[in-house]
Amino acid sequence: MKAVALAALGLLAALAGPLAMAQDKPVHQSPADPQTRYQNADASPLVNEPMYQSTNPKAPPMTQAEFELGRKTYFERCAGCHGVLRKGATGKPLTPDITLGKGTDYLKVFISYGSPAGMPNWLTSGELDEKTVDIMARYIQQEPPLPPEWGMEDMKKSWKVVIPPEQRPTKKMNRYNLANIFSTTLRDAGEIALIDGDTKQIINVIKTGYAVHISRMSASGRYLFVIGRDAKINMIDLWMAQPDTVAEIRVGLEARSVDTSKYKGYEDTYAIAGSYWPPQYTIMKGDTLEPLKIVSTRGMTVDKQEYHPEPRVASIVASHFKPEFVVNVKETGKTLLVDYSNLDALKTTEIGTARFLHDGGLDSTHRYFLVAANQSNKIAAIDLKEGKLVKLIDVGKIPHPGRGANFVHPKYGPVWATGHLGDESIALIGTDPAKHPQYAWKMVDSLKSQGGGSLFIKSHPKSHHLYVDNPLNPDPAISHSVAVYDIDHLDKGFTVLPIAEWTGISDGGAMRVVQPEFNVAGDEVWFSVWSAKDKQSAIVVVDDKTLKLKAVIKDPRLITPTGHFNVNNTQHDIY
């Protein structure tokens, strides 16, 4: 194996770039690394989809059973980095024109030991056995199997109006304080829980798609939209006596993002969803989810001007300044301002930002949108009023803001903050070109957090605190807790809150603490304590003024809670 490992250096250099070698084995990242854990956290929904298989006579032979195991393993562990078509995404391309010339032995070493560019060491970490490594080495020399496309006919077959608009309530039929309802993702159960923020009681548990990614509110605050990673959207009417689904649709085979029109005069008129596969976005009627317009995102990359066949739609927000949706396309590095005022003559402003766009949020005025280009280690600031890129800002390693956090810094004025997956820093970016022009669109400060593996950061206009989670950090002491900063005294560092310990659960497994979310009053912060499907999970509520435990919500229906979204704060983009 030593000789093969030495010979494989040429392959590793070709696939992963220059290597820093200390011994005869490549330096590698373990799957426990926060970045790798994040990108391989979820099996692609495409793992169960029928696909067209093309046979390459030059590829090493495989039985049908071996090919299916290879396909299953690839979509469970590899597609998030290397793409559905293996053309490369955040990871390098793994197409036969590259892999065939290297041979099975070389590829086995690459898969076994990983690379410093982020390829996990699948064999030596124990994640894959030698048999599976051998199968994967042969599998990536085959032509990639092709998933089916998903067009208007497919969408309309999946579209279901459970309760037509004319049969829905004409006024609110319940006594819930709708502004303080939380939509909580029950990830592995394929459900969401609607939780009353006032009483801390579950209102309803609603069956949704696979691994719901986000919840978004209509401009009116009546309709809740949730989208699963299998691209299924549920539209939930909060006016019903018991809020429930009134319409649903699948807009593709894999997806992440949904939002609704918010510009004055277009409230609740349209919904939009972006897909990972096929790479496209779909505009729908805001009251029924009837699909109206499908637009492909396939095209040229912003940097090398090369064609990319699989540019995934990463995130979408609705502009408050124009009748536009802000659509962020990951692999090409483009932010699209889609004018929905006339769908028959759709106008799109294409803004080149940076590749590998992911999550982002609005500044406190809602004029500027800040989005993470995570593998480029940049934040792009976009002026939604003027429709142009303001600045590309260098930050830490792999920024992951969620929607970020807005607050007023005692020195720099209004800032927007992001944590990072790849390092322990928190970047603060000035967002006030009017009153603080010397600090605008610069990283004015970098705070030290508990560590890498951060997914979400949050504050509130009525709070003096900034909360940062680290659910993907490999150290349980860090992933089980959150860091809290006093905004007026950031130089004093952070206070650690032992959120998982406060649940009182003795055998909760991993118990990752994820996604701080404020209530409508801004005086409570909710956290998901995310355990395995067969373990007890919980929601922990913290008093923002005292940083003391206020409540623990336990219920057998709370299976793998992850993201949660307060209706008012989501509706009005408060974070």
Side-chain angles (χ1 to χ4, degrees):
M1 178 59 76
K2 181 177 179 180
V4 177
L6 285 167
L9 296 185
L11 166 70
L12 291 170
L15 293 177
L19 296 177
M21 299 299 299
Q23 302 175 359
D24 62 344
K25 292 180 182 178
V27 179
H28 56 68
Q29 259 182 310
S30 164
D33 175 88
Q35 172 192 355
T36 308
R37 289 177 65 190
Y38 172 71
Q39 292 184 342
N40 295 284
D42 295 299
S44 167
L46 293 171
V47 70
N48 296 316
E49 292 293 332
M51 296 187 184
Y52 170 72
Q53 179 182 345
S54 174
T55 302
N56 187 338
K58 296 181 181 179
M62 300 186 77
T63 67
Q64 187 63 39
E66 287 177 329
F67 186 89
E68 285 304 313
L69 177 59
R71 186 176 80 90
K72 181 176 184 290
T73 303
Y74 182 83
F75 282 101
E76 285 179 341
R77 299 180 183 272
C78 313
C81 287
H82 299 285
V84 170
L85 304 178
R86 305 209 310 259
K87 296 284 189 178
T90 53
K92 299 292 184 179
L94 293 174
T95 45
D97 60 308
I98 297 171
T99 57
L100 271 172
K102 305 303 177 181
T104 301
D105 286 341
Y106 288 88
L107 294 168
K108 285 167 67 174
V109 172
F110 179 64
I111 295 167
S112 297
Y113 293 105
S115 81
M119 174 70 176
N121 51 314
W122 292 111
L123 177 66
T124 56
S125 69
E127 296 287 320
L128 298 180
D129 58 24
E130 290 187 1
K131 177 183 176 182
T132 308
V133 168
D134 175 68
I135 287 173
M136 294 308 296
R138 287 180 286 139
Y139 173 79
I140 61 175
Q141 296 176 74
Q142 313 288 329
E143 293 293 333
L146 299 177
E149 298 292 323
W150 192 267
M152 186 63 74
E153 182 179 356
D154 300 296
M155 290 187 195
K156 289 199 171 180
K157 286 179 181 178
S158 73
W159 173 48
K160 183 179 181 181
V161 179
V162 181
I163 302 176
E166 61 272 16
Q167 296 178 20
R168 297 174 195 165
T170 56
K171 62 180 181 180
K172 188 164 79 79
M173 301 300 291
N174 59 62
R175 295 185 178 182
Y176 299 118
N177 176 9
L178 299 188
N180 205 32
I181 288 177
F182 287 76
S183 173
T184 298
T185 299
L186 306 180
R187 180 187 173 280
D188 291 350
E191 298 170 334
I192 63 154
L194 297 180
I195 305 177
D196 186 334
D198 294 347
T199 67
K200 314 297 188 290
Q201 299 297 309
I202 294 178
I203 296 169
N204 196 12
V205 174
I206 299 171
K207 197 69 181 174
T208 58
Y210 163 81
V212 164
H213 191 62
I214 59 170
S215 298
R216 291 290 182 261
M217 288 303 306
S218 66
S220 66
R222 174 176 181 173
Y223 293 112
L224 173 70
F225 297 80
V226 299
I227 187 165
R229 297 197 174 191
D230 59 357
K232 181 182 178 183
I233 303 172
N234 286 64
M235 179 181 176
I236 297 162
D237 187 354
L238 298 182
W239 280 15
M240 296 169 64
Q242 184 181 55
D244 211 334
T245 296
V246 293
E248 60 184 46
I249 192 174
R250 284 191 74 185
V251 292
L253 299 176
E254 186 170 359
R256 295 294 189 278
S257 52
V258 68
D259 213 332
T260 68
S261 53
K262 290 189 169 69
Y263 187 66
K264 186 176 181 180
Y266 291 91
E267 298 91 338
D268 295 21
T269 301
Y270 297 117
I272 183 173
S275 302
Y276 267 30
W277 187 270
Q280 61 194 29
Y281 62 85
T282 304
I283 299 175
M284 300 155 281
K285 283 188 177 180
D287 59 350
T288 65
L289 295 181
E290 179 184 355
L292 301 173
K293 190 87 172 180
I294 306 170
V295 181
S296 173
T297 54
R298 292 177 169 107
M300 314 305 285
T301 61
V302 70
D303 49 2
K304 296 182 179 180
Q305 297 291 295
E306 294 175 343
Y307 178 74
H308 200 292
E310 193 187 336
R312 300 172 288 183
V313 177
S315 59
I316 299 175
V317 299
S319 173
H320 296 263
F321 279 82
K322 294 179 182 179
E324 291 179 338
F325 292 121
V326 185
V327 178
N328 298 284
V329 187
K330 185 184 288 282
E331 278 72 30
T332 52
K334 295 176 181 178
T335 296
L336 311 178
L337 307 183
V338 180
D339 185 338
Y340 53 75
S341 62
N342 184 351
L343 298 189
D344 293 326
L346 197 69
K347 296 179 181 178
T348 302
T349 300
E350 181 183 291
I351 300 174
T353 49
R355 292 191 67 190
F356 312 119
L357 296 175
H358 197 65
D359 281 351
L362 300 169
D363 80 309
S364 58
T365 69
H366 294 166
R367 173 172 175 172
Y368 300 98
F369 176 66
L370 294 101
V371 59
N374 53 19
Q375 292 291 335
S376 298
N377 302 327
K378 297 178 185 296
I379 297 291
I382 298 164
D383 185 340
L384 300 185
K385 183 177 180 180
E386 298 296 330
K388 64 181 183 180
L389 176 68
V390 178
K391 190 74 177 292
L392 283 176
I393 305 149
D394 291 320
V395 290
K397 184 178 180 182
I398 315 172
H400 193 287
R403 305 201 89 178
N406 290 298
F407 61 92
V408 179
H409 191 283
K411 177 180 179 180
Y412 304 116
V415 298
W416 179 90
T418 179
H420 297 82
L421 271 167
D423 66 31
E424 61 185 10
S425 69
I426 298 168
L428 308 185
I429 295 171
T431 60
D432 183 12
K435 295 182 180 179
H436 299 82
Q438 70 273 38
Y439 303 127
W441 318 125
K442 299 175 183 177
M443 187 174 73
V444 295
D445 201 357
S446 179
L447 309 179
K448 183 178 180 181
S449 73
Q450 291 197 83
S454 176
L455 290 182
F456 298 101
I457 186 169
K458 194 64 64 76
S459 190
H460 189 279
K462 296 181 181 179
S463 173
H464 291 282
H465 291 125
L466 176 69
Y467 296 82
V468 184
D469 69 13
N470 296 93
L472 296 186
N473 193 286
D475 184 347
I478 296 176
S479 63
H480 288 193
S481 62
V482 296
V484 188
Y485 298 80
D486 182 338
I487 288 170
D488 296 322
H489 303 282
L490 291 169
D491 57 325
K492 293 184 177 181
F494 53 82
T495 299
V496 176
L497 302 185
I499 300 297
E501 180 183 323
W502 283 349
T503 66
I505 299 172
S506 59
D507 185 22
M511 295 183 69
R512 288 171 282 183
V513 176
V514 62
Q515 193 159 344
E517 178 77 351
F518 279 85
N519 65 345
V520 63
D523 58 10
E524 290 179 357
V525 190
W526 291 40
F527 299 89
S528 288
V529 181
W530 170 19
S531 298
K533 190 174 184 179
D534 60 347
K535 302 288 185 180
Q536 186 177 18
S537 294
I539 304 291
V540 170
V541 182
V542 173
D543 186 314
D544 178 60
K545 305 300 181 186
T546 65
L547 301 184
K548 301 296 184 183
L549 175 65
K550 189 168 185 177
V552 177
I553 305 172
K554 296 180 183 178
D555 190 294
R557 294 172 291 177
L558 290 177
I559 300 170
T560 59
T562 52
H564 40 240
F565 304 84
N566 173 268
V567 164
N568 178 79
N569 297 339
T570 304
Q571 176 188 356
H572 297 289
D573 292 297
I574 298 171
Y575 33 81

